[in-house]
Amino acid sequence: MKIKELTAKDIKNIMMDKALIIVLVFMIIGIIIIEPSFLQIRVLTDILTQSAVKMICALGLMFALLLGGTDLSGGRQVGLAAVMVASLSQMADYSNKFWPGLPELPIIIPVIMTLALVAVIGAVNGFMIAKLKMAPFIATFGMSTIVYGINCLYFAKKPNNSQPIGGIREDLTVLSSFKVFGQISFLVVIAVIAIVGVWFLLNKTVFGKNIYIVGGNPEAAKVSGINVSKVIITVFIIESMFVGLAGILEVARTGGANSAYGNAYEFDAISSCVVGGVSLSGGVGKVSGVIIGVLIFTFISYGLAYIGVNSNWQLIVKGLIICSAVALDMRKKFLIRED
């Protein structure tokens, strides 16, 4: 079997394709050099725990991106899911109950109610995009405002009056506190299960293949007999359920909730996806890329805070990473067209 020799153009394209990841890896190495204790086990397990919720959120946004769309309401759905599940999962004897007199429900009931709520939001997003032909950016931006307004109204109701929700029951917080192998949070296990599930759906099912086809060329998908509207609506329902699950797990991790939860989570998720090679133009992206993107982003964020970098500088670095990721994505698209 003859091995193809790499040309200068091939090497240039590979470097262009992986340039941002290479730079970010060097940033991580720089953080380790500045503060070698960054490599201790406790730090690594903290990063994995923080990555777990972000991973599930990013996996959800990946579905929207594969269609060539986006969901700017994702972060606000995380916040709504967090407030909803927290308000229904408080201990019966907690002094500041969101719903006074509400008995302790089986924990699966608040979880199902929360996922059903965000599924409806996803269906509305999908309907606006598929049937009303609204641009995903506009449709989901409008939904983001609506969801945040609903969340604030619900959070401000008496007797809560916009106070942070606490007193979360142990049968929910155990998802975070329970440790596998003595050190790794069970949230990481849930994230791994989600990764395997998404990989299987996208690579081993007809529906997964249809997502790539619709994202790559909607008109060709219609000609081939794919129900494009059904795919779009279903994708946004799945995406919303993933970000809703992220909100539930965020409550398990922090032991509380408020209406600010999830703010800008969608931007971190989209950035992680793009850094991992998911194209904003649709039809291109792998689960493995999302994993790499989320882990690198979390390492950078945690690492900058660990070495004492001012939070404002952290925002600037994050913004530069986002702009660079989008610029490289557009550059790769341009090179493909040239070829």
Side-chain angles (χ1 to χ4, degrees), residues 194-339:
I195 288 168
V196 173
V198 171
W199 179 89
F200 182 85
L201 176 63
L202 292 177
N203 294 281
K204 299 298 181 179
T205 69
V206 174
F207 179 71
K209 291 177 173 60
N210 287 346
I211 292 174
Y212 282 101
I213 295 170
V214 172
N217 192 330
E219 295 306 316
K222 287 180 182 177
V223 172
S224 64
I226 296 173
N227 188 331
V228 173
S229 294
K230 183 177 179 181
V231 170
I232 292 173
I233 293 171
T234 304
V235 160
F236 274 91
I237 291 173
I238 293 172
E239 182 258 331
S240 286
M241 292 184 73
F242 266 88
V243 296
L245 176 60
I248 292 169
L249 296 180
E250 192 72 344
V251 173
R253 186 178 73 87
T254 62
N258 61 60
S259 59
Y261 269 40
N263 184 30
Y265 272 35
E266 70 275 18
F267 295 114
D268 285 352
I270 292 170
S271 304
S272 297
C273 288
V274 176
V275 167
V278 180
S279 176
L280 293 172
S281 303
V284 177
K286 296 180 179 179
V287 172
S288 57
V290 175
I291 296 170
I292 293 170
V294 170
L295 288 176
I296 286 178
F297 237 96
T298 309
F299 262 97
I300 295 295
S301 298
Y302 194 103
L304 292 176
Y306 192 84
I307 62 176
V309 174
N310 183 285
S311 59
N312 295 320
W313 278 108
Q314 292 179 40
L315 291 174
I316 292 172
V317 171
K318 184 180 290 187
L320 287 172
I321 292 172
I322 293 170
C323 291
S324 301
V326 175
L328 286 172
D329 181 57
M330 293 298 102
R331 174 64 178 165
K332 284 186 283 185
K333 182 181 177 182
F334 177 74
L335 288 173
I336 291 171
R337 284 180 175 176
E338 274 192 334
D339 293 339

Side-chain angles (χ1 to χ4, degrees), residues 75-85 114 117 121 147 150-151 261:
R76 292 307 184 187
Q77 289 186 61
V78 170
L80 179 61
V83 169
M84 173 63 70
V85 78
T114 300
L117 174 62
I121 295 171
V147 169
I150 292 172
N151 195 15
Y261 269 40

Side-chain angles (χ1 to χ4, degrees), residues 136-203:
F137 179 91
I138 298 300
T140 59
F141 177 72
M143 181 58 73
S144 173
T145 306
I146 293 170
V147 169
Y148 184 53
I150 292 172
N151 195 15
C152 288
L153 287 172
Y154 180 70
F155 189 61
K157 83 164 202 68
K158 294 181 179 181
N160 191 66
N161 297 320
S162 299
Q163 297 300 309
I165 302 172
I168 307 302
R169 287 158 43 189
E170 188 177 348
D171 48 359
L172 181 58
T173 59
V174 70
L175 295 176
S176 176
S177 61
F178 180 73
K179 305 293 182 183
V180 180
F181 305 121
Q183 300 206 36
I184 301 173
S185 170
F186 192 69
L187 292 178
V188 178
V189 177
I190 296 174
V192 171
I193 293 171
I195 288 168
V196 173
V198 171
W199 179 89
F200 182 85
L201 176 63
L202 292 177
N203 294 281

